[in-house]
Amino acid sequence: MSIQYILEIVGTFAFAISGALAVKDQKHQDWFGASFTAFISSIGGGTLRDVLLDSYPLVWISDITIIHAIILGILVTFIFYKFLLRLRKTLFLFDTFGIALFTLVGTEKALNLGVRPEIAVIMGVFTATMGGVIRDMMTNEIPIIYRKEVYATACFSGACVYLILDGLGVERNTTFIVSALVIIVLRILAVRNGWSVPRFFR
């Protein structure tokens, strides 16, 4: 079982929890709403990536383990949601782990399909962020990429680190771990210290 596959499963599980928790403040918190939001959060970015790269069948259609990871995330959220909500910034942490893992999975898959490195970085960012964007729109939240915090920029940075390490011939698992840590640490530090990307319009 490759590190890429493990990361994709773990990222899917993390995003499923993030998506299910996102409906906690909605008026109707039924099973279907939570499950659908978890599902879209988990596969939205990867589906967009595969469609743009003309990669079929879509990963969640060809691999039932993806669906099982989403179902497990939904069940874990249902059973332990009170505990999860008591944890400080639970949604933030699961979202951060999710985007770190999905960025690298998306970047590597794009490279394996033969696209240019610049396009691979974009696909990595799309894979990581679009599920969260759709989740926020479904729950009537301002999409996180429009909020004053480092999000897509962290994904972009991690994807670039991945390309550099890969180009230098660094061992694959080490490349994945270091690049994921860059995204996670950068996002946590940015939130803790109030860092943000400079405004476009002044």
Side-chain angles (χ1 to χ4, degrees):
M1 187 178 294
S2 69
I3 187 67
Q4 176 187 351
Y5 186 72
I6 294 173
L7 287 173
E8 188 150 16
I9 297 302
V10 174
T12 300
F13 174 75
F15 258 133
I17 293 177
S18 172
L21 286 175
V23 304
K24 67 183 184 302
D25 295 324
Q26 301 301 304
K27 183 177 181 180
H28 300 291
Q29 304 175 4
D30 58 32
W31 265 87
F32 180 81
S35 300
F36 188 72
T37 306
F39 186 82
I40 293 299
S41 300
S42 301
I43 59 92
T47 298
L48 176 62
R49 173 201 65 212
D50 288 348
V51 169
L52 291 174
L53 293 175
D54 197 27
S55 176
Y56 296 99
L58 301 177
V59 64
W60 57 273
I61 293 177
S62 62
D63 186 359
I64 193 62
T65 306
I66 299 292
I67 303 299
H68 291 163
I70 296 173
I71 294 173
L72 180 60
I74 294 168
L75 291 176
V76 167
T77 306
F78 175 73
I79 296 171
F80 300 108
Y81 81 96
K82 290 184 179 179
F83 171 73
L84 293 173
L85 291 176
R86 283 199 299 267
L87 296 178
R88 182 175 174 80
K89 299 185 182 296
T90 304
L91 183 60
F92 163 77
L93 290 175
F94 278 109
D95 199 55
T96 298
F97 281 114
I99 64 170
L101 300 176
F102 272 24
T103 297
L104 305 180
V105 168
T107 301
E108 181 168 89
K109 180 167 186 178
L111 288 173
N112 290 339
L113 290 173
V115 304
R116 292 177 56 86
E118 303 95 313
I119 303 301
V121 169
I122 294 173
M123 291 298 103
V125 174
F126 274 19
T127 304
T129 61
M130 291 310 296
V133 169
I134 298 172
R135 176 200 65 211
D136 290 341
M137 294 174 64
M138 290 175 62
T139 55
N140 294 317
E141 297 286 342
I142 298 174
I144 195 165
I145 60 172
Y146 293 135
R147 300 179 207 166
K148 187 183 177 182
E149 60 180 272
V150 173
Y151 191 76
T153 307
C155 300
F156 177 81
S157 300
C160 289
V161 169
Y162 175 89
L163 288 180
I164 293 171
L165 295 178
D166 184 61
L168 293 174
V170 176
E171 195 268 332
R172 186 166 175 264
N173 289 353
T174 302
T175 297
F176 262 95
I177 293 171
V178 172
S179 302
L181 287 175
V182 167
I183 298 171
I184 293 169
V185 171
L186 180 58
R187 181 147 159 73
I188 291 175
L189 288 177
V191 171
R192 177 173 294 181
N193 297 308
W195 297 344
S196 62
V197 178
R199 291 173 57 88
F200 185 78
F201 295 105
R202 302 188 179 213

